[in-house]
Amino acid sequence: MDFPENFLWGTATAAYQVEGAVNEGGRGASIWDTFSHTPGKVRHGDTGDIACDQYHRLEEDLDLMSELGILAYRFSVAWPRIQPEGSGSANQNGLDFYRRLVDGLRQRSIEPMLTLYHWDLPQALEDVGGWTNRDTSERFAEYAAIVHEALSDSVGFWITLNEPWVSAWMGYGLGVHAPGHQDSARALAATHHLLLSHGLAMERMRSAGDANQLGVTLNLHPARPSRDREADREAARRVDGQANRLYLDPLFHGDYPEDVFSYYGERGVDLTFVQDRDLDRISVPIDFLGINYYFRNTVRDAPEEQGQSIPFADLGARSVIPHEAEKTAMGWPVEPDGLTEILVRIKEDYEDLPMYVTENGRAVHDYIDPEGDVDDEERVSYLDAHFRAAHQAIAQGVDLRGYMVWSFLDNFEWAEGYSKRFGIVFVEYGAQRRVPKSSARWYSDVIRRNGLE
Ligand code: FCB
């Protein structure tokens, strides 16, 4: 099973999850520093203070990537390293760190794929409303322009936002992520300002006139009814509206989904945050779409759950785990065919544009065995099945150009702290020893062959 020529096989991480060194190089505080240091928010009270210490172990990590034959590295820039207070002039020390990272990748012929925002909003901006404040979109565009100017000569792939649904709904709607608010109205305003920030940043970067590829990454989950009932079909449509169409429609069609807006409008949510021309700016053409795929939403109508702090409770819906599904250490169902489905849907319902899987992978209860190995068979079979699902989409005409496995290293898994391991490389925290798992060796072979047997 061969993949297209020049298929970009890579791995991904995000700044707060791997860097550590939160008080070094002039870095300011982010909402994740505040949140993780708030008792009760993250499992075991874990924080990203040290994480994988990649800030100090850059060379070692880059060498390991190179040994494994990885062709691309998707990483994110920590906004508070560049603008410690979220605005104003650039902190040169912060830019220097990413210059070292990018040059180190280039020297090893690894393609850098840079994400500008992977959830670490400067705390100073949250103090004045964060993503519920329209001004944050302007601040983001300014930040994007600074990073772009500093690194556009060496970075070919630019992703404005990682998973705006998660930033908005987990952060401002459910409160299980930073900054921890529980209010659907705020989540909707945050959604709009995130999308607007993407559009404004695109404008700024595009005006530089280089040949770099600019895009955005969405977490997309196909939604289907859990039972053959009208109520479940309607619930699945509501979930699809909030999780997928609320992002895809404005980006590709320049419009918000009518059903989602009227649902919240009827419940008294003030939707006046959308101003003239915003949608034109949000729907500015992108060169590629990044897709993070983990699982489907299998949806049941659940009016009794209104008001609870679980995803989609405000829609009177619940995403359930199908009985037959294998579950990962996160409790997420393994559903590779959902990946084919979502890729094909983008091409058919939205646009036939280049796409990259910018994240996919699974958590396993990994451990170092007495021989010193980490044998993560479950991850190998998960990735194998998802690569096949991606190949299936390519066979159906999808212009898929690359695949970034989440993650290169075990890391700080947000509200789950270090309890969940997603890496193809095991991290022994404390000693900070890296041990490539069986999946890393297997992935090296896939990359070398550019395909599966
Ligand atoms: C995604 C995030 C990523 C990681 C994976 C497991 O939602 O983008 O940082 O936590 O989930």
Side-chain angles (χ1 to χ4, degrees):
M1 185 176 280
D2 294 330
F3 278 74
E5 221 182 300
N6 298 322
F7 196 76
L8 199 59
W9 295 102
T11 60
T13 62
Y16 190 71
Q17 296 182 276
V18 298
E19 284 179 4
V22 293
N23 295 316
E24 287 177 56
R27 179 185 180 278
S30 78
I31 54 175
W32 270 96
D33 296 279
T34 311
F35 191 77
S36 66
H37 281 271
T38 307
K41 298 299 187 191
V42 175
R43 195 180 289 266
H44 303 140
D46 291 344
T47 73
D49 288 3
I50 300 174
C52 308
D53 199 29
Q54 187 166 81
Y55 189 81
H56 296 122
R57 291 165 198 271
L58 202 49
E59 293 296 312
E60 176 190 344
D61 283 349
L62 295 176
D63 284 344
L64 181 53
M65 262 182 251
S66 168
E67 268 163 47
L68 293 171
I70 285 164
L71 304 178
Y73 182 43
R74 173 175 177 241
F75 63 95
S76 80
V77 172
W79 186 349
R81 284 200 192 283
I82 308 303
Q83 291 178 305
E85 299 296 317
S87 60
S89 58
N91 168 33
Q92 190 57 44
N93 213 321
L95 289 173
D96 291 347
F97 171 68
Y98 295 104
R99 168 53 67 188
R100 275 210 310 287
L101 169 52
V102 165
D103 286 352
L105 289 167
R106 287 261 170 249
Q107 280 152 18
R108 293 165 179 83
S109 304
I110 302 170
E111 184 72 38
M113 185 179 268
L114 184 154
T115 303
L116 284 161
Y117 185 70
H118 202 127
W119 309 352
D120 41 6
L121 185 73
Q123 180 62 42
L125 295 183
E126 180 56 31
D127 294 342
V128 291
W131 288 111
T132 66
N133 180 349
R134 188 178 171 92
D135 184 58
T136 300
S137 310
E138 302 284 347
R139 299 282 70 74
F140 179 73
E142 180 183 289
Y143 153 70
I146 292 172
V147 180
H148 189 257
E149 194 188 316
L151 300 174
S152 64
D153 62 331
S154 308
V155 177
F157 293 93
W158 292 77
I159 294 169
T160 52
L161 307 174
N162 177 68
E163 304 189 350
W165 181 86
V166 176
S167 296
W169 294 89
M170 304 280 271
Y172 292 83
L174 292 170
V176 296
H177 278 188
H181 302 304
Q182 295 185 335
D183 176 358
S184 298
R186 289 206 224 185
L188 277 166
T191 291
H192 182 66
H193 298 137
L194 281 154
L195 289 169
L196 181 62
S197 80
H198 155 79
L200 298 179
M202 286 291 299
E203 245 169 65
R204 297 287 289 268
M205 295 195 285
R206 199 63 97 186
S207 68
D210 53 43
N212 294 329
Q213 303 291 298
L214 311 178
V216 61
T217 280
L218 302 178
N219 56 306
L220 297 172
H221 303 248
R224 63 171 179 198
S226 79
R227 298 163 298 191
D228 184 18
R229 293 186 191 169
E230 192 47 34
D232 285 359
R233 276 190 287 278
E234 281 169 20
R237 179 157 172 80
R238 292 197 295 280
V239 166
D240 181 54
Q242 190 205 87
N244 302 318
R245 289 182 287 113
L246 183 59
Y247 299 85
L248 291 165
D249 286 13
L251 286 167
F252 289 104
H253 297 158
D255 232 335
Y256 277 117
E258 176 42 50
D259 57 326
V260 178
F261 265 48
S262 46
Y263 181 89
Y264 287 106
E266 282 159 16
R267 282 157 185 79
V269 174
D270 177 6
L271 300 163
T272 53
F273 47 73
V274 185
Q275 299 186 7
D276 270 5
R277 288 213 54 239
D278 283 2
L279 283 154
D280 296 338
R281 307 182 93 169
I282 291 170
S283 58
V284 59
I286 52 178
D287 301 315
F288 68 93
L289 179 67
I291 292 173
N292 292 356
Y293 175 76
Y294 290 95
F295 57 92
R296 270 209 191 82
N297 283 311
T298 299
V299 182
R300 179 160 80 60
D301 185 47
E304 71 285 1
E305 278 165 8
Q306 280 281 1
Q308 292 187 29
S309 179
I310 52 172
F312 314 120
D314 63 335
L315 300 174
R318 160 182 274 246
S319 178
V320 299
I321 311 290
H323 294 299
E324 65 287 1
E326 182 193 346
K327 287 180 243 359
T328 71
M330 289 292 277
W332 296 348
V334 177
E335 301 178 309
D337 51 335
L339 176 58
T340 318
E341 185 181 332
I342 203 74
L343 290 167
V344 171
R345 179 184 179 189
I346 300 299
K347 169 178 136 82
E348 286 180 354
D349 294 359
Y350 291 96
E351 195 180 314
D352 183 5
L353 83 169
M355 289 186 249
Y356 291 82
V357 173
T358 41
E359 281 182 33
N360 170 251
R362 67 166 285 174
V364 176
H365 296 295
D366 295 309
Y367 58 92
I368 303 185
D369 67 22
E371 284 74 49
D373 300 324
V374 182
D375 194 8
D376 58 341
E377 249 176 77
E378 303 94 322
R379 186 171 287 103
V380 170
S381 72
Y382 178 97
L383 291 174
D384 181 89
H386 286 77
F387 293 170
R388 285 172 203 276
H391 195 273
Q392 181 67 41
I394 295 170
Q396 292 182 44
V398 170
D399 187 5
L400 185 71
R401 302 199 177 176
Y403 206 112
M404 307 296 131
V405 170
W406 186 270
S407 174
F408 173 51
L409 300 171
D410 292 336
N411 60 47
F412 176 79
E413 177 47 35
W414 309 112
E416 296 296 326
Y418 298 99
S419 68
K420 299 292 185 283
R421 293 180 178 272
F422 272 91
I424 57 170
V425 173
F426 187 92
V427 176
E428 197 179 8
Y429 297 111
Q432 289 294 348
R433 195 159 65 94
R434 274 63 167 147
V435 182
K437 304 177 190 177
S438 308
S439 57
R441 307 283 174 215
W442 172 85
Y443 190 36
S444 286
D445 288 344
V446 172
I447 298 173
R448 198 169 329 109
R449 271 195 235 116
N450 193 28
L452 301 162
E453 276 189 74

